[in-house]
Every structure is written in C-alpha cells, then in structure tokens.
C-alpha cells in the first residue's frame, strides 16, 4: 500500500513538472508559431529592392502584409525578446517607408543582442532612411559593415561634405574612409585633391591627380546597388574633372558610352541614368547626353521613351545623324507595314547624312524590300549595286588581285567564330583578349572588352574594344588591346582573302591594328563611327598553314569588329602577286 502511494506521488510530481514545462514553453512555442506564419506572409507580400537591406519595397499583396504584421505582433506579445519577430516586423514597416515605426520595433533588440551585427546593420539602414548620417555611420561600423559597404560610403561622403565647411581634417578622414571601402570612387578622390590643394601639399596633389587620370576599371564599373547618391556624386566628380583639365570631354564621353554598353539593363541601368541626369542638367543644350539617355532606354527595351529622347536630341541638333539611324531601328523592330515605311524614311535620312556607313545602307535596303515604289526607297536598286561593290568578297578579291572575277575561285568561309555571337564572360568564343598596357614594357592605359549588342554589323553581337585612356611614357611601348583569334588551319602557302567589317571612333593618335601570321601589323584608318568593309589578300605560312588574326585598338577611342571571314583563293599561278599582303578599305 505504501509503495502504491509513493508511485502515485511520484507520478503526480512528474505530471506537475510536465505541466510546468508545457506552461513555461507555451509562450516560446506560440512566438515561434506566429513568427513563422508572419514571415511567410511578409515574404509573399513584398518584392525587395535590396536583397539584404531594410528599405522601401514594392508591396505586391497589402492583405498578406497586414496579416503578416498581425502575426508578428502576436509573436512579440508572447515573447518580447524574439529577435526574428522583431527583424521581420521592422522589415514590414521599412517596406512601407515607415522608418520611425521600424526603429521602435528593432531598437530594443540592440539591448537584448548587443553583439549581433545584423541588428546593428539593420538599425543603420533605418537611420539611413531617416537621413541620420552620423547614426547610420555609427551603426554600420558597429555591425562591421558587412554588405552595407556602399550605403556606408554614401554616408561617409555626405558627412564629409557637411564637415568641409567647418572641419576639413574630419572631412578628409571621411573621404579616405570612403576610398578604403570603394577604391574607384572618383568623388572621394577629387575631394581629397581639393583638400591637398588647400594645404599646398604637392605630394598629395600629385598622388590624387595621378589616381584620377589613371583610373582603373573599378571607377567605370557601375555599382549594382539602387542607391542614387553614388552615381550622382560620381557624375558631379566627372564634370569637375573635365572642368579642372584632369580629364577631357572625350574621356568623359568614353566612360559613359562604356557604361551604356556594359550596364544598361536592370538596376545598373537605373544608376547610369542617374549619372546622365546630372550631366544633362549641367549642359542641357548638349544633344549628346540626350542621345545617350535615348540609347540607354533603347538598350533596356523602353522603346517609347527611347523614341521621344531621340527626337529630343534631333530638336537640339538636326544634324545628329545617329539619331536617325536609331529611330529607324526602333521602327523596324515594330514589324508593321506602316512602321516599315517609317523605318525606310529614317534610314534614308541617315544614309544621306552618313553615306560612308555600310550599316545605314544595309538597314535602308532591308527596310525597302517590297517598298521599292515608296518615295523613301527611291534609288534603292542602285543602292543594292553600290553595297555589293563595297562588300562582295569575290569582287573584293578580284579588285585586289587586278584580275577579272571569272579568273578566280573563292572557297567557303573557314572562320567558325567570325560572327562574335557567342561570348565566354568578357571575350568572344574562339578569341582571346589581349591587353598590352600597364605592365612593362607597355605604357599605362585602360581598355575594356565589350559585346556590342545595339549596332552590330551582322547578327546580334559585334566585338568592341574601348580605350578609355592611355598615357605615353618614355621607354615604354604604346598601350593597346584587342582580340587574338584561335588558329585557323589553311593549306600551307595558300592564297586567301580575309574580310571583315569594322568601325572606329578614335581620339587623336589612335589607330586600328590588324595582325596576320607572317606579316607586319597593318593599319586601318579612323571611320568616325561608320562601319566599313576590309579585304586583305595574303598567303598562309608555308611551314604549317596556321593563320591567326589580331584585331586591336592602339590608343584611346572605340572600335568594333564583325563578320570576319577567311576564304582560300585559287587563281592562275602566274597572276599571284609578289607584294603581299594587299589591303582595301571600302
């Protein structure tokens, strides 16, 4: 009987302990339950702008957002110290651009979790939203910066600009901190140059001037971050660099054109647009910045806005020929009969303004197919003959050899990757990027390999080389860069025709180099941005028949290449010229 009583007492004690545990765990379990449901609702309701930062977001489902907030508030009612619930609820308020409400929710977490960097970083986001520069800096630094490098840079710049009026030393330290996090930041570099000028520090001035003149690719690369403060600061710095004589206008235009080609889509394109807004506001009568804004929208597929801006550029300068070409491209893409007529009219205007550009002729004649009786297509039959005279490979080879076309046999194109359609990261398939700059024996420079997708001569993509800046140095070879082809096997000692299209828009002193196995490098002229056609007659090496081609830019400017073809040429042996290679540019 005593044993039974003891067993009952032990069971009762265990039951009481279990009940106590259940009652004690119940708030924690309920907090987890409501946090999980609330997080699911918030995640479904919002479309974030930043992947890892508190900021206003696109609200896709207000109902689910409200339900999520209710669940998260319930979670905090059960457990006020639940960190995940506080972070999710702070995000919900930040998404609605309510940083004060979000701060009230998240600030207590800093007391509960003082060493958790996520809390400090997210509080920094909220203070950044409120414009509390010093608070944002303090909390970003407390959170060990993490993914908040760019917003911290933006706050350093803002705090430094404010401090310049009263405390230049503090401003300089903040600009230096910004540069430590963002080494390519032109704005911070230029402000430090001004600081050294104020001090009369010749060494500091020389260092910053050199840094600004010899900027690296990180200064051109668009920050993938929807923080408009940075591109606006960079644009204002670029303007100051031109006005100060450190850059010329050509450098500025080349930087912007490279950004247009490399970063038009997605968030980077919005950042480039912010820079263009600053440039256009500074020089509102300059049609080139309007043309660049139009190109940006064209590349992004915003065709209506692109057309408006192309027309605005023509209002400022009716002789801006490229705007006519681009308007024709937009109309051609519409695909309707009426749009085709409009495209033909725009292309005709372009051909009249830029008669050397084969792309204009090609586009005009294509748009005129079936519209030969339309006034915009008058003369298109003669245009077909004119284009053939400039681009037909058989005719090209015969003219170079000085023989009738009937005397030669032209083989099939053996160049498999001459259309540049497929790319492997920053180089076209079948080619290698060759950058001869910066390291001895070559002079300094900055070159970029770019797939040109808006104005390819053939197909969708051309290979483009941009030389943003170069610097001549005594004892060093000039800087240059371009594309080396993989080897093409041709019958040893065989005569062949190499043909391709190219365009070049070069700074003074720049030129296009063409290298072929067994021959000295050939020079091509500047084309002012027009596509021209090149034909070269040469022999393959007699030893192994391996032919490699080098297409490159020497100096500053922009060059593009497309439609590379290599064909063997059969002619009577007594008609083979001794003075090879022979080249023509049409």
């Amino acid at each position: 009987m005593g044993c039974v009583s003891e067993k009952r007492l032990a069971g009762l004690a265990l039951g009481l302990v279990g009940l106590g545990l259940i009652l004690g765990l119940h708030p924690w379990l309920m907090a987890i339950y409501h946090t999980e449901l609330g997080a699911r609702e918030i995640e479904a309701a919002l479309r974030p702008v930043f992947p890892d930062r508190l900021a206003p977001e696109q609200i896709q489902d207000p109902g689910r957002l409200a339900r999520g907030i209710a669940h998260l508030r319930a979670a905090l009612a059960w457990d006020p110290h639940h960190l995940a619930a506080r972070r999710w609820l702070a995000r919900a308020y930040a998404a609605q651009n309510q940083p004060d409400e979000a701060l009230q929710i998240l600030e207590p977490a800093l007391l509960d979790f003082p060493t958790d960097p996520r809390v400090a970083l997210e509080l920094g986001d909220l203070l950044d939203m409120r414009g509390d520069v010093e608070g944002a800096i303090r909390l970003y630094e407390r959170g060990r910066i993490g993914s908040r490098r760019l917003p911290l840079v933006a706050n350093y710049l803002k705090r430094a600009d404010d401090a310049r009026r009263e405390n230049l030393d503090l401003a300089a330290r903040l600009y230096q901190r910004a540069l430590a996090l963002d080494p390519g930041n032109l704005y911070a570099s230029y402000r430090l140059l001004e600081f050294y000028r104020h001090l009369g520090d010749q060494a500091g001035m020389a260092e910053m001037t050199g840094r600004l003149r010899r900027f690296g690719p990180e200064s051109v690369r668009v920050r993938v971050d929807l923080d408009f403060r940075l591109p606006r600061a960079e644009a204002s710095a670029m303007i100051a660099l031109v006005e100060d004589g450190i850059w010329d206008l050509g450098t500025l235009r080349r930087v912007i054109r490279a950004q247009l080609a490399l970063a038009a889509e997605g968030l980077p394109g919005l950042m480039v647009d912010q820079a263009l807004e600053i440039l256009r506001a500074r020089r509102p009568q300059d049609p080139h910045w309007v043309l660049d804004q139009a190109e940006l929208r064209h590349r992004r597929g915003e065709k209506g806005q692109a057309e408006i801006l192309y027309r605005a550029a023509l209002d400022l300068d009716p002789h801006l020929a490229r705007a006519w070409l681009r308007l024709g491209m937009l109309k051609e893409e519409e695909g309707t009969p009426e749009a085709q007529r409009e495209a033909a009219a725009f292309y005709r205007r372009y051909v009249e303004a830029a008669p050397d550009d084969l792309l204009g002729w090609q586009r005009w004649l294509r748009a005129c197919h079936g519209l030969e009786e339309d006034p915009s297509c008058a003369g298109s039959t003669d245009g077909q003959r004119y284009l053939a005279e400039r681009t037909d490979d058989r005719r090209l080879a015969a003219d170079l050899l000085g023989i009738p076309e009937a005397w030669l046999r032209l083989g099939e194109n053996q160049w498999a990757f001459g259309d540049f359609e497929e790319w492997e990261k920053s180089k076209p398939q079948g080619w290698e990027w060759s950058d001869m700059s910066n390291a001895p024996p070559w002079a300094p420079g900055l070159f970029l390999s770019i797939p040109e997708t808006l104005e390819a001569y053939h197909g969708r993509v051309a290979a483009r080389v941009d030389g943003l800046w170069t610097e001549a140095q005594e004892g060093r070879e000039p800087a240059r860069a371009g594309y080396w082809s993989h080897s093409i096997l041709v019958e040893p000692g065989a005569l062949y025709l190499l043909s391709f299209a190219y365009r070049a828009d070069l700074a003074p002193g720049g030129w296009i180099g063409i290298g072929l196995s067994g021959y000295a490098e050939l020079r091509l002229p500047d084309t002012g941005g027009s596509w021209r056609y090149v034909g070269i007659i040469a022999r393959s090496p007699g030893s192994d028949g391996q032919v490699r081609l080098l297409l490159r830019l020497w100096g500053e400017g922009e060059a593009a290449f497309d439609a590379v073809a290599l064909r063997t040429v059969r002619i009577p042996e007594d008609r083979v010229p001794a003075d090879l290679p022979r080249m023509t540019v049409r």
Side-chain angles (χ1 to χ4, degrees):
M1 189 74 180
C3 289
V4 173
S5 298
E6 287 178 8
K7 288 180 180 180
R8 285 179 178 175
L9 287 171
L12 179 61
L14 286 173
L16 290 172
V17 170
L19 179 61
L21 286 172
I22 291 171
L23 292 174
L25 289 174
H26 182 254
W28 181 67
L29 292 172
M30 292 302 293
I32 291 175
Y33 168 76
H34 283 291
T35 300
E36 180 66 24
L37 291 180
R40 290 181 186 178
E41 295 292 333
I42 297 296
E43 188 68 36
L46 300 177
R47 182 179 178 184
V49 174
F50 302 104
D52 54 3
R53 191 191 315 176
L54 297 188
E57 302 182 36
Q58 181 180 342
I59 298 172
Q60 300 182 120
D61 190 332
R64 298 196 74 171
L65 178 62
R67 289 196 296 274
I69 290 173
H71 275 298
L72 293 167
R73 285 203 166 278
L76 290 177
W78 284 106
D79 181 4
H81 303 287
H82 200 286
L83 178 59
R86 288 196 177 276
R87 292 180 64 216
W88 277 102
L89 190 54
R91 177 187 169 184
Y93 285 122
Q96 300 173 82
N97 199 22
Q98 298 175 4
D100 292 337
E101 289 82 350
L103 276 168
Q104 290 177 9
I105 293 297
L106 194 57
E107 276 182 326
L110 196 60
L111 297 174
D112 294 333
F113 304 93
T115 62
D116 192 323
R118 298 172 300 174
V119 177
L121 292 174
E122 289 175 358
L123 283 169
D125 294 336
L126 298 173
L127 292 176
D128 192 19
M129 287 176 64
R130 292 179 64 185
D132 183 347
V133 175
E134 293 190 13
I137 290 173
R138 183 179 68 255
L139 284 159
Y140 282 149
E141 290 179 339
R142 177 171 173 172
R144 300 191 292 278
I145 302 172
S147 61
R148 305 317 200 269
R149 182 176 61 88
L150 293 179
L152 180 54
V153 168
N155 279 283
Y156 278 150
L157 297 181
K158 177 65 169 66
R159 179 70 183 91
D161 286 347
D162 292 341
R164 286 176 65 220
R165 304 179 185 90
E166 298 177 355
N167 191 337
L168 277 176
D169 289 339
L170 173 60
R173 289 196 300 272
L174 290 165
Y175 290 132
Q176 287 167 341
R177 288 190 201 174
L179 270 182
L181 291 176
D182 186 13
N185 194 288
L186 297 172
Y187 185 85
S189 297
Y190 185 74
R191 289 301 191 196
L192 282 171
L193 172 61
E194 291 185 316
F195 173 71
Y196 292 131
R197 279 178 180 162
H198 177 79
L199 296 180
D201 183 341
Q202 297 298 320
M205 290 165 58
E207 178 190 350
M208 298 316 299
T209 300
R211 183 173 188 150
L212 288 162
R213 281 191 178 138
R214 294 185 288 274
F215 58 90
E218 66 277 358
S219 295
V220 182
R221 191 176 299 118
V222 177
R223 284 79 165 164
V224 186
D225 185 283
L226 198 62
D227 191 327
F228 292 155
R229 294 171 292 186
L230 292 177
R232 287 178 174 275
E234 294 289 89
S236 65
M238 291 179 193
I239 292 167
L241 289 169
V242 174
E243 293 174 344
D244 221 339
I246 297 172
W247 287 12
D248 59 24
L249 188 58
T251 303
L252 173 56
R253 292 203 187 284
R254 287 191 293 275
V255 168
I256 294 298
R257 283 197 51 73
Q259 290 182 337
L260 286 172
L262 289 169
E265 297 179 1
L267 294 181
L270 298 179
M271 310 299 278
V272 176
D273 193 38
Q274 289 296 308
L276 284 170
E277 285 288 347
I278 297 293
L279 295 169
R280 186 178 173 187
R282 182 64 67 94
R283 300 185 67 179
Q285 296 306 308
D286 188 336
H288 292 92
W289 301 130
V290 185
L291 185 70
D292 285 346
Q293 283 191 309
E295 178 177 327
L296 176 66
R297 283 157 178 77
H298 196 160
R299 288 180 181 273
R300 290 174 64 83
E302 299 166 2
K303 297 178 182 179
Q305 286 295 312
E307 180 176 349
I308 290 170
L309 286 164
Y310 283 135
R311 291 182 184 276
L314 285 168
D315 288 340
L316 291 170
D317 182 2
H319 303 292
L320 198 63
R322 205 148 221 89
W324 295 114
L325 174 68
R326 302 284 181 73
L327 284 169
M329 293 166 69
L330 288 172
K331 290 301 176 183
E332 186 179 5
E333 290 165 9
E334 288 184 21
T336 66
E338 183 56 36
Q340 183 182 351
R341 291 188 184 87
E342 290 185 76
F346 286 134
Y347 286 144
R348 184 184 183 91
R349 292 289 298 268
Y350 180 67
V351 166
E352 291 170 348
D356 288 336
D357 192 348
L358 295 176
L359 181 62
W361 285 94
Q362 184 192 95
R363 293 279 186 148
W364 178 54
L365 294 172
R366 187 168 68 192
C368 284
H369 182 70
L371 296 176
E372 286 78 8
E373 302 304 316
D374 191 275
S376 295
C377 295
S380 59
T381 302
D382 291 337
Q384 294 282 3
R385 286 193 292 269
Y386 173 75
L387 186 62
E389 287 173 2
R390 295 180 66 180
T391 61
D392 181 78
D393 279 0
R394 175 175 292 276
R395 187 171 302 180
L396 218 64
D399 290 348
L400 282 167
L401 294 166
I403 61 174
E405 289 182 43
W407 288 16
L408 65 82
R409 289 167 49 203
L410 205 59
E412 295 295 320
N413 176 27
Q414 296 185 42
W415 215 290
F417 299 109
D419 57 5
F420 302 105
E421 293 295 297
E422 301 298 326
W423 285 64
E424 300 166 346
K425 295 183 178 179
S426 61
K427 65 181 182 180
Q429 189 176 353
W431 300 77
E432 297 297 329
W433 174 243
S434 169
D435 187 345
M436 294 183 173
S437 64
N438 298 310
W442 304 298
L446 176 58
F447 294 90
L448 300 176
S449 169
I450 298 176
E452 174 53 66
T453 57
L454 185 61
E455 286 188 13
Y457 177 79
H458 173 77
R460 298 176 295 106
V461 189
R464 178 171 144 186
V465 185
D466 283 24
L468 301 188
W469 63 267
T470 58
E471 182 180 285
Q473 287 190 355
E474 187 176 353
R476 289 200 176 191
E477 297 179 22
R480 65 267 196 189
Y483 303 101
W484 265 114
S485 75
H486 295 176
S487 294
I488 301 295
L489 180 60
V490 182
E491 179 185 342
L495 203 64
Y496 65 83
L497 170 71
L498 174 76
S499 62
F500 60 91
Y502 87 104
R503 65 172 169 84
D505 191 2
L506 308 179
W511 55 282
I512 305 300
I514 306 301
L516 277 172
S517 301
Y519 297 103
E521 192 163 353
L522 304 173
R523 287 191 177 216
L524 291 177
D526 191 358
T527 70
S530 295
W531 282 97
R532 306 281 289 276
Y533 203 72
V534 179
I536 302 172
I537 291 286
R539 273 193 185 278
S540 65
S543 57
D544 59 6
Q546 299 281 348
V547 176
R548 292 189 74 191
L549 170 63
L550 172 63
L551 304 169
R552 68 180 171 189
L553 167 64
W554 291 66
E556 299 169 358
E558 179 185 317
F561 308 94
D562 207 353
V564 178
L566 186 148
R567 308 173 193 276
T568 55
V569 178
R570 305 287 185 186
I571 61 172
E573 193 60 35
D574 62 345
R575 304 299 301 188
V576 176
D579 57 334
L580 295 178
R582 290 184 175 183
M583 181 175 72
T584 183
V585 180
R586 300 187 173 186

